[in-house]
Amino acid sequence: MLPTDPDAGQFLLRGTLEIEGRLVDASNATLLCGIEADGVSARCVYKPVRGERPLWDFPDGTLAGREVGAYLVAEAAGLPLIPPTVLRDGPFGPGMAQLWVDTDTDDPGVVDVVAPRDLPEGWKPILRAQDSEGAPAVLAHSPLPAIAHLCALDVVINNADRKGGHILRGVDGNVYGVDHGICLHREHKLRTVLWGWAGEPLPDEVLDALARLRAELSGPLAQTLAEHITGAEVKALRSRVSRLLNTPVYPSPDESHYPIPWPAF
């Protein structure tokens, strides 16, 4: 079962979950599960609502729904950048289930910290600093079109935590963003490592996706999202989409708050 499988969403809803382990680096309870339905088996990430750590600026018990909301927005925009994600019951109650993305362990990834001389050709530097031994280092990301599309999606969903480790390149060759629990707030929260296109025009593919999303937000999508986020947050989402279409340029970092999440990975 691949994330691009059109039946992946229904598979996640119908399948039987069996916990295999816990991802201990996650700040909230994040469980790796086997899932099986109709003779098909795969893996998924299951995040029960009861395992969410309270945050001062996001309502309690809403992070799983925000993960689903981010996926719905990406799908409506025609940007297959988030693995299939559903809200369902599980071994520890209601929670988010997201199809697992297999990656190549030899793949260097799409975000990295390197010495300036080792910066891959075409990569976009974001931050210059020093490593633990005082040598110069650069935080940079790939110029792949899929990363540019993900950057625009993060602006739309107001992603407050786009770390480098939250971007995966699957064995299918596609790029996927994961961990969208703190998105879709109505207040400006954007924190990301993907600032490489700041001030540059949005590509035509992104403009087409935004126009598609704006049209969808005038229909049933808004009602579906209201099952996961507030009406004010849906309205703010619509405003962000319109703002980007009216000023089709990648935004620059806002100096009034920290624009890069910490840690960056």
Side-chain angles (χ1 to χ4, degrees):
M1 177 72 66
L2 293 173
T4 52
D5 193 312
D7 297 325
Q10 284 301 313
F11 173 74
L12 285 171
L13 287 170
R14 296 195 326 269
T16 301
L17 297 180
E18 183 174 345
I19 296 174
E20 296 183 353
R22 180 174 181 176
L23 305 182
V24 296
D25 291 337
S27 56
N28 298 295
T30 303
L31 305 173
L32 175 63
C33 293
I35 181 169
E36 191 276 334
D38 302 325
V40 178
S41 60
R43 282 180 164 180
C44 72
V45 173
Y46 163 55
K47 298 182 182 180
V49 172
R50 64 190 292 186
E52 294 178 4
R53 186 177 64 180
L55 299 172
W56 70 269
D57 54 347
F58 282 80
D60 293 349
T62 68
L63 306 192
R66 292 174 190 279
E67 296 239 31
V68 176
Y71 168 72
L72 293 172
V73 169
E75 284 296 289
L79 297 172
L81 297 168
I82 298 178
T85 310
V86 301
L87 193 66
R88 57 160 291 172
D89 201 19
F92 293 106
M96 180 278 283
Q98 183 176 84
L99 199 67
W100 179 262
V101 175
D102 288 315
T103 59
D104 184 349
T105 55
D106 294 327
D107 190 320
V110 294
V111 182
D112 204 357
V113 176
V114 298
R117 65 179 179 277
D118 296 329
L119 187 67
E121 184 177 357
W123 274 44
K124 294 182 174 292
I126 304 303
L127 184 67
R128 299 185 184 276
Q130 294 180 335
D131 64 17
S132 59
E133 298 179 353
V138 178
L139 171 65
H141 64 70
S142 165
L144 285 171
I147 304 298
H149 299 170
L150 184 60
C151 176
L153 178 63
D154 280 345
V155 175
V156 167
I157 63 175
N158 197 18
N159 193 345
D161 195 34
R162 176 59 76 204
K163 293 182 170 69
H166 296 173
I167 308 171
L168 309 176
R169 183 151 49 185
V171 294
D172 59 2
N174 294 328
V175 170
Y176 299 99
V178 298
D179 283 324
H180 298 99
I182 49 175
C183 292
L184 296 166
H185 202 287
R186 66 186 181 87
E187 298 176 3
H188 179 63
K189 298 282 184 181
L190 183 61
R191 287 190 293 270
T192 175
V193 295
L194 303 181
W195 288 111
W197 291 277
E200 295 185 18
L202 296 175
D204 290 341
E205 298 90 345
V206 168
L207 292 174
D208 291 343
L210 292 174
R212 188 179 304 116
L213 178 57
R214 182 163 63 180
E216 292 289 334
L217 283 168
S218 298
L221 176 61
Q223 295 178 344
T224 303
L225 286 172
E227 299 174 9
H228 305 292
I229 59 177
T230 67
E233 288 169 333
V234 173
K235 182 179 179 180
L237 167 64
R238 190 181 291 114
S239 295
R240 288 191 295 271
V241 173
S242 294
R243 191 179 310 124
L244 270 182
L245 282 169
N246 293 335
T247 307
V249 173
Y250 284 102
S252 297
D254 184 351
E255 296 182 358
S256 66
H257 80 306
Y258 296 107
I260 296 177
W262 187 259
F265 285 87

